[in-house]
Amino acid sequence: MTTSKLRLWTAASLTFIPTAVLIVARLLWGDQLPHTVASHWSGSTPDGFATTTTFFAITLVVSLIASVVAAVTALRAGDSAPLLLSVTATAAATSATIWILSVALTLDAGAPENARIGWWIALPIAAAMTGIAAWALTSRGGANVEPLLPTPTLDTPLTATERAAWIGRAHSVWPWVLSAGLTALTVGTAAYSDWWVAVILLAATVMTAAFASVTVRVDNSGLSISSWGIRWKKIAISRVKSASADAIRPVEWGGYGYRITPRGTAVTLRSGEAIVLTLETGRVFAVTVDHPEDGVRLLNSLVQQAGAREI
């Protein structure tokens, strides 16, 4: 079952709109366009320049190609639609933003060598995030939260001294897409802008890549989550009231990644199967993971075991 047409065309519009804005900006500026614009910066000072018309032609070609790919992708509605539309949206939005920003800063400064970028560097960074919105719109949706197994436990109860462990994993493509864009921005910023901005972007890249693959471990101490062998989340078994295997949707939890919402906290890499914990405080914690049923059975059995030791 493919993503709905409405979602596909809405995601495709994230490629069409920046392309249209680029063309409109060119028409509105008309004869005011400078012959040369600042196109690269070292810190806040420009150290690279380009002919405005050539720069525009390259940007327009990139945006138009991205728009054609987006339109074909929306028409075909294939399984690769989320990835393709996220790439086209990122390409169109980023390239259009860079050209418009270069022209605006040059016009404001009066001469390309006097242009200063400063905090305006945030605009192309924000534009690169458009791909995430396209991915979120087109990724396959799951059902509303509905328990697959009501408080399941192991067929054979654990003894008071018995130890057990379960390991599950989940993978996602969207962090790789975003990390690739952030890496390009990091390299460009390190070369042409302030070093501290590049450091911030590098940290964001690493944190984003951490969600490309997560490992969920359930053992006598509780549930832990790690990425690339580094554990970054731990919930002690004493804090768990019960566990269930549910189907969740990122849109219901505030999006992808590590989300804190009024309904609870979630680590969402994709729509679909997840371990959902009800904590002693009444809060809920969810983490998407492949084939969570055995992990849920073990968790509930460990909760029972911990309760038996307290009696």
Side-chain angles (χ1 to χ4, degrees):
M1 178 173 145
T2 57
T3 310
S4 71
K5 288 290 186 180
L6 177 60
R7 286 176 175 268
L8 283 170
W9 285 107
T10 301
S13 71
L14 297 178
T15 301
F16 304 150
I17 291 173
T19 303
V21 170
L22 173 68
I23 296 171
V24 170
R26 170 65 181 86
L27 294 174
L28 289 177
W29 269 317
D31 296 335
Q32 299 179 40
L33 285 176
H35 178 269
T36 304
V37 294
S39 56
H40 298 285
W41 279 263
S42 177
S44 294
T45 305
D47 63 353
F49 306 91
T51 303
T52 306
T53 53
T54 302
F55 194 5
F56 174 77
I58 294 172
T59 303
L60 182 62
V61 168
V62 170
S63 298
L64 289 176
I65 291 175
S67 296
V68 170
V69 173
V72 172
T73 300
L75 284 171
R76 295 184 61 183
D79 292 337
S80 60
L83 177 59
L84 288 174
L85 290 174
S86 64
V87 171
T88 60
T90 299
T94 304
S95 58
T97 301
I98 289 174
W99 185 83
I100 293 172
L101 181 62
S102 296
V103 173
L105 291 176
T106 300
L107 287 173
D108 182 66
E113 60 272 13
N114 295 330
R116 297 293 182 270
I117 191 167
W119 282 99
W120 289 105
I121 188 67
L123 287 183
I125 294 173
M129 305 297 180
T130 308
I132 295 300
W135 177 273
L137 281 166
T138 53
S139 60
R140 295 174 184 269
N144 292 331
V145 176
E146 52 181 66
L148 303 178
L149 293 169
T151 319
T153 57
L154 297 175
D155 295 334
T156 304
L158 295 171
T159 64
T161 58
E162 193 172 6
R163 304 186 66 82
W166 172 88
I167 295 176
R169 294 179 175 84
H171 306 278
S172 186
V173 176
W174 67 262
W176 290 122
V177 176
L178 181 55
S179 295
L182 287 173
T183 298
L185 285 172
T186 301
V187 173
T189 301
Y192 303 115
S193 189
D194 296 319
W195 65 267
W196 57 268
V197 179
V199 171
I200 294 174
L201 287 172
L202 178 61
T205 302
V206 173
M207 288 188 291
T208 300
F211 289 97
S213 176
V214 300
T215 299
V216 180
R217 178 184 173 89
V218 175
D219 56 28
N220 291 64
S221 63
L223 180 145
S224 62
I225 303 174
S226 60
S227 299
W228 318 122
I230 300 175
R231 190 179 75 182
W232 51 269
K233 180 67 177 180
K234 175 75 174 182
I235 297 179
I237 198 67
S238 59
R239 295 179 55 202
V240 180
K241 182 178 180 180
S242 65
S244 63
D246 300 337
I248 68 174
R249 297 174 60 189
V251 68
E252 298 169 345
W253 293 84
Y256 293 87
Y258 192 92
R259 318 302 296 183
I260 300 176
T261 71
R263 71 181 302 173
T265 303
V267 178
T268 55
L269 274 69
R270 48 148 177 79
S271 296
E273 297 174 307
I275 292 178
V276 179
L277 306 180
T278 300
L279 305 180
E280 291 290 346
T281 59
R283 292 278 293 175
V284 173
F285 180 87
V287 54
T288 51
V289 64
D290 298 336
H291 312 298
E293 292 85 356
D294 287 341
V296 167
R297 291 190 183 95
L298 177 57
L299 266 169
N300 287 319
S301 295
L302 290 170
V303 170
Q304 290 182 356
Q305 183 192 58
R309 284 200 299 264
E310 294 176 358
I311 298 176

